[in-house]
Amino acid sequence: GVDSMINLMLDPLTYFDVCNKLDKSEKEQFINASKLMIKKNLIAAEKFGLKRTNGNALIIYNDFDKHSGLDFAAPRYEKFLLANNL
């Protein structure tokens, strides 16, 4: 699904770490480029009938956290979804 493509391109687990290391101008460019990538992916997915899969991705990230004993992946993914209105 489309969310898998977005996850591969923008890596929600390190997205904010990368963003926070940029200066103000670079950060703005990074955020704008990210939003444009997401928008184009959503448009292409709709055009070709791909389904949204962010619910499935959250299940995978929750499983990762459960089996690794960490509380890392799912919260970061949820923050990424909220920040990008997904």
Side-chain angles (χ1 to χ4, degrees):
V2 66
D3 294 274
S4 297
M5 293 187 299
I6 293 169
N7 291 348
L8 287 171
M9 287 190 282
L10 295 176
D11 188 8
L13 303 186
T14 61
Y15 182 83
F16 294 103
D17 294 337
V18 171
C19 191
N20 290 333
K21 290 181 181 177
L22 302 173
D23 67 34
K24 185 179 178 182
S25 173
E26 293 171 327
K27 189 175 193 174
E28 188 175 316
Q29 288 178 335
F30 179 76
I31 291 169
N32 289 337
S34 298
K35 290 184 187 253
L36 184 60
M37 276 205 266
I38 290 168
K39 180 180 177 181
K40 288 186 175 198
N41 270 280
L42 293 175
I43 290 169
E46 185 177 327
K47 181 177 180 180
F48 292 101
L50 293 176
K51 296 187 179 189
R52 297 297 311 274
T53 55
N54 56 5
N56 291 342
L58 188 53
I59 291 169
I60 292 167
Y61 290 134
N62 276 317
D63 281 348
F64 172 82
D65 285 343
K66 177 182 171 188
H67 295 296
S68 66
L70 300 172
D71 185 25
F72 169 78
R76 285 196 175 211
Y77 185 60
E78 289 173 330
K79 182 179 176 184
F80 176 81
L81 291 174
L82 288 172
N84 290 290
N85 298 315
L86 296 169

